[in-house]
Amino acid sequence: MTTLTPATAADRTGVSIDTLRYYEREGLIGPIRRSAGGRRQYTEDDLFWIGLVTCFREAGLGITDLRGFVAILRAEHPPQDRVAFLRERRASLEQRVAALCRAMEVLDEKIAYYS
Amino acid sequence: MTTLTPATAADRTGVSIDTLRYYEREGLIGPIRRSAGGRRQYTEDDLFWIGLVTCFREAGLGITDLRGFVAILRAEHPPQDRVAFLRERRASLEQRVAALCRAMEVLDEKIAYYS
DNA sequence: CTCGTATCTGGAGCGCGCTCCAGGTCAAGA
DNA sequence: TCTTGACCTGGAGCGCGCTCCAGATACGAG
């Protein structure tokens, strides 16, 4: 199975090497497999997971939130706990969208005023 | 004209006194009128403006962004500049919404999977 | 084998957005 | 008048999310 160097993984994901190591330290990804000499070897699965993390980071979730997310998806929580957790997260994202929409309404109002 | 103490303004806006002073230092609000003794006297207009700032902060805009917003709305920029600026801001908010939607789609997928 | 580059680790540093603190001032009630 | 509490200022401190650094190690090219 082909693996990727940190540089390649960083390039493919758009996340810096330092940040990849930081995410790993924080338990958001990995632990990434190592070569005999200790160098990280990223797999395509790792990249996919990094993509998920990035997606949530871009949506504004904090590191702690993501740690919870990772824990839920990995650990042996009963399915209903997972669903409840995921719905909670979804609701908080909806609230963020609502806040954004309020701000956009204000902007639209100002735009209309100056147009 | 009736004015409000810092405590009341904080209470009415949901923004802490420290943060109100911080916003004022950063030029996001005010400058707030002072009493003879130097105490701040907030007006209803001030509260309205604080509400705007809060709205944008909740939408995730940074202090620097808001300073730009304030500058545009206050200063003598030509209307077309203002409109261009406001449209730019709106576009970046739309991108945030898009990022949130992507994250929500991932969540929905997981929710469906565990349901 | 040697060189040069990539990577490793632990820890320090940084920008943001507050938040808190010390030490002093103002003002309303007893 | 005296007390008490809200408020003032300047500046330090803090949590987050990286980002950078030093010094050591791995490893592919020549």
Side-chain angles (χ1 to χ4, degrees), chain A:
Chain A
M1 178 172 179
T2 145
T3 58
L4 306 170
T5 65
T8 311
D11 198 52
R12 289 267 304 274
T13 59
V15 177
S16 79
I17 294 181
D18 272 327
T19 301
L20 285 176
R21 288 196 290 100
Y22 169 67
Y23 284 173
E24 192 177 350
R25 268 203 306 279
E26 296 297 321
L28 269 46
I29 61 174
I32 305 299
R33 199 153 56 95
R34 303 300 187 97
S35 72
R39 271 80 206 286
R40 273 170 258 261
Q41 298 175 316
Y42 294 87
T43 66
E44 292 293 334
D45 282 357
D46 290 331
L47 289 212
F48 180 77
W49 185 262
I50 293 164
L52 280 186
V53 168
T54 303
C55 174
F56 287 119
R57 284 293 301 122
E58 284 171 355
L61 274 76
I63 301 301
T64 306
D65 290 334
L66 262 72
R67 216 156 19 212
F69 186 75
V70 170
I72 276 285
L73 289 195
R74 279 192 182 153
E76 306 76 14
H77 292 272
Q80 65 268 30
D81 284 11
R82 302 190 189 193
V83 170
F85 177 87
L86 295 168
R87 280 197 205 286
E88 252 177 48
R89 293 291 120 204
R90 193 187 198 292
S92 86
L93 293 191
E94 275 168 13
Q95 286 183 2
R96 284 169 197 262
V97 170
L100 283 161
C101 288
R102 280 194 297 275
M104 286 198 290
E105 277 168 24
V106 172
L107 284 180
D108 286 343
E109 191 186 308
K110 299 291 180 190
I111 289 170
Y113 180 77
Y114 289 121
S115 292

Side-chain angles (χ1 to χ4, degrees), chain B residues 5-7 21 34 38-40:
Chain B
T5 64
R21 289 195 291 100
R34 303 302 186 95
R39 273 80 205 286
R40 273 170 257 261

Side-chain angles (χ1 to χ4, degrees), chain B residues 41-61:
Chain B
Q41 298 175 316
Y42 294 87
T43 66
E44 292 293 333
D45 281 357
D46 290 330
L47 289 211
F48 181 77
W49 186 261
I50 293 165
L52 281 185
V53 168
T54 303
C55 173
F56 287 119
R57 283 292 302 123
E58 284 171 355
L61 274 77

